Amino acid sequence: MDSPHACARCESLFGPQRHSLKMWDGKRYCVECINTVSPELLAWAREHTFLEETLALKAISRKKYYKNSYLYPMIGAIVIIFAPFSLIGEFWWGFVFSSFFCGWFGLIFLLDLKFDFAVNKAASELPRTLVVQNNQLIIVHEDDSHIYDLSELYYYESDTDRTTDNLYLENRPALILEKKPRWNWQRFVWEEIRYACGLTPEKRELWSSFFQLIELPRKEMSSPRSYHFKITVLVMSFLLLSLAIMVINYRVFFMLITLLMWIIPLQALSTAKRLSTKVVTVCGTLLTNGFVFYACVSRNPIHAGLFCLAEMCLFLVAVFYIRKRLKQNPD
């Protein structure tokens, strides 16, 4: 029953003895139902026509950004590259390749320290305000905004490490609003809609009470031990499969890695705001693939250069295809 003359929760008709209040999901609820869920929610709803919360720029953590951005990739490069080469007897090859990738990450790390990318990245997205009004979740930035239907979301209790901006956001308990992630073939990106709200105990109680009132679906999170076990199994399976392919035919292994490498610049073209970021990502991918081609497949620098040229041509074809799809369907 969804009637403007009846409570959306208990379905009781409104009248002189049963007052109603329109909440931020666009529906009307009786005062008794709202007060039963939370008296604080009732007091807030009477004074505010929408529910909002702002994440300020001071919430960022530079230390966390640099740790998450470069420590784990460097460890991953050592494990993925050094371990397989050591197992098949090429110890020094594994050492050389690992040193190359760690040096690459280290150079980018020094550039980030110089330009302070943590602050620049956060400043482009913060302050961020979450607004709930007329059954819509509105994400307001300084430059743009995004709107999602509230009925398409679910929530759960976690910390801000679960959000998409967890690289620089200081970790704290929160409620996470999330939409089922999916791969967007038109923009060639993995879309993750996941925002943190209730960053203080008072706000968390307010958001939680509102979600309970409108009966927003709640997702039960798996334990951290189970989550890390699944990640470990996935990583080990990938390593074993990569090792098997490399032992059977290392050229096939190289081609698979090359294809995976181009996911990064394709995503940068559709998501990065600055032209310099797009150019650096593309050039970095070309240089990396060219170096690995020269080291693993052919000792001829001319062949490595021709391979990079062919890669660039295929990449441009993919770029124009994505651009055409975006023009046909900009949403």
Side-chain angles (χ1 to χ4, degrees), residues 220-284:
E220 296 298 331
M221 297 302 299
S222 59
S223 64
R225 180 177 298 179
S226 175
Y227 173 77
H228 289 105
F229 175 76
K230 294 178 182 177
I231 294 298
T232 302
V233 171
L234 182 63
V235 172
M236 292 304 298
S237 301
F238 174 78
L239 289 176
L240 292 176
L241 179 61
S242 301
L243 179 61
I245 296 175
M246 185 170 59
V247 171
I248 296 173
N249 192 329
Y250 65 90
R251 288 184 173 85
V252 174
F253 172 76
F254 165 73
M255 295 305 297
L256 291 176
I257 295 298
T258 301
L259 293 175
L260 291 176
M261 284 288 294
W262 279 109
I263 294 178
I264 300 175
L266 285 173
Q267 288 183 334
L269 285 177
S270 58
T271 58
K273 297 180 179 179
R274 297 183 178 180
L275 179 61
S276 58
T277 304
K278 302 177 181 181
V279 173
V280 168
T281 307
V282 174
C283 293

Side-chain angles (χ1 to χ4, degrees), residues 144-205:
D144 57 357
S145 61
H146 306 280
I147 300 177
Y148 306 102
D149 193 348
L150 195 63
S151 59
E152 299 177 352
L153 305 174
Y154 55 86
Y155 80 102
Y156 53 88
E157 293 185 10
S158 184
D159 50 46
T160 50
D161 271 342
R162 295 274 186 174
T163 58
T164 53
D165 49 13
N166 63 341
L167 282 180
Y168 57 81
L169 184 60
E170 183 180 351
N171 194 27
R172 64 182 72 183
L175 295 177
I176 310 300
L177 276 170
E178 183 174 348
K179 185 179 179 181
K180 186 177 181 181
R182 64 187 180 90
W183 180 263
N184 190 329
W185 288 101
Q186 295 179 349
R187 297 183 181 274
F188 208 79
V189 293
W190 178 256
E191 289 186 340
E192 290 185 305
I193 301 171
R194 191 182 300 121
Y195 295 101
C197 60
L199 301 176
T200 63
E202 296 78 13
K203 283 287 188 179
R204 191 156 55 251
E205 180 64 27

